[in-house]
Amino acid sequence: MAICDMCGNDYARAMTITIGGEKNSGGVFDSFECAIAALAPRCGHCRCRIIGHGVESGCNIFCCAHCAREAGHDGLVDQAGHTDGGSGQWKVFDDSREGVVE
């Protein structure tokens, strides 16, 4: 069993997370929730936790292009628009039929 670095829970299925393969760069956590709370960066504008890639400008990271622009970082976009070759429509993926053979 291992003790979670975030909440202190002694848990048999705890996970060890490293950042960039460097020892002592992450920690031991009993859940993704604790790992996110301890390791996920905060948006440079709204301060929310960034769970995905986010958008970066220089040494700054933001949850979205809107927050980057609000913080004075122009030129970042969340998606390619219709004029950039994108359809402007969301493609919805349905995994519910995955593995179904007809």
Side-chain angles (χ1 to χ4, degrees):
M1 301 225 324
I3 297 174
C4 177
D5 291 343
M6 187 69 194
C7 71
N9 184 30
D10 195 3
Y11 189 58
R13 293 188 178 107
M15 60 188 131
T16 300
I17 296 176
T18 59
I19 300 169
E22 296 182 28
K23 289 185 178 241
N24 302 319
S25 61
V28 176
F29 304 100
D30 70 340
S31 65
F32 285 114
E33 182 179 8
C34 282
I36 289 166
L39 303 176
R42 288 191 179 269
C43 174
H45 177 68
C46 74
R47 307 302 296 155
C48 74
R49 292 282 183 191
I50 301 171
I51 311 283
H53 292 284
V55 293
E56 296 180 47
S57 179
C59 294
N60 300 290
I61 188 165
F62 302 94
C63 64
C64 63
H66 168 77
C67 279
R69 287 190 302 272
E70 289 292 310
H73 297 267
D74 295 326
L76 297 171
V77 295
D78 288 317
Q79 77 279 336
H82 195 70
T83 59
D84 296 330
S87 68
Q89 301 291 318
W90 284 81
K91 183 171 183 179
V92 178
F93 295 95
D94 181 4
D95 292 333
S96 65
R97 296 186 47 80
E98 188 173 78
V100 175
V101 177
E102 293 183 15

